[in-house]
Amino acid sequence: MKNGIHPDYHRVVYRDRNADFAFLTRSTETSRNSIEWTDGQTYPVIDVQISSASHPFWTGRTRVLDTAGRIEKFRAKYARHGK
């Protein structure tokens, strides 16, 4: 690798405040805020709005869509045009 052309790659904590979930990883992202991690070290913290702990797909809390009502509405709307 060439020196001086790559961004700083360091440890950061990503925190999902909605789910009270955080994880330590490596990233080029920076932050002015910091947090003390469980190992006693202080790392920059990046707050995210959604993570695997709060995303409906990963948590199993998906919304149920009323597809039957939508299909009936569509058929009723276009039934009069097909005759």
Side-chain angles (χ1 to χ4, degrees):
M1 286 196 326
K2 291 184 179 179
N3 291 330
I5 64 168
H6 300 286
D8 182 31
Y9 190 65
H10 53 275
R11 294 191 179 271
V12 295
V13 174
Y14 283 93
R15 177 174 57 188
D16 183 353
R17 289 183 172 245
N18 296 326
D20 194 29
F21 175 71
F23 60 94
L24 178 66
T25 187
R26 296 178 57 96
S27 176
T28 58
E29 216 169 344
T30 59
S31 174
R32 294 182 184 178
N33 301 329
S34 61
I35 189 173
E36 186 173 335
W37 194 242
T38 56
D39 63 0
Q41 298 290 325
T42 302
Y43 299 105
V45 64
I46 299 166
D47 291 320
V48 294
Q49 294 184 8
I50 195 160
S51 70
S52 61
S54 62
H55 194 279
F57 179 80
W58 299 108
T59 60
R61 294 180 288 164
T62 58
R63 295 183 298 172
V64 177
L65 296 176
D66 181 23
T67 55
R70 292 170 59 192
I71 292 170
E72 291 168 5
K73 196 179 203 181
F74 175 82
R75 287 185 179 156
K77 182 177 179 181
Y78 290 101
R80 59 181 172 230
H81 295 292
K83 293 182 180 179

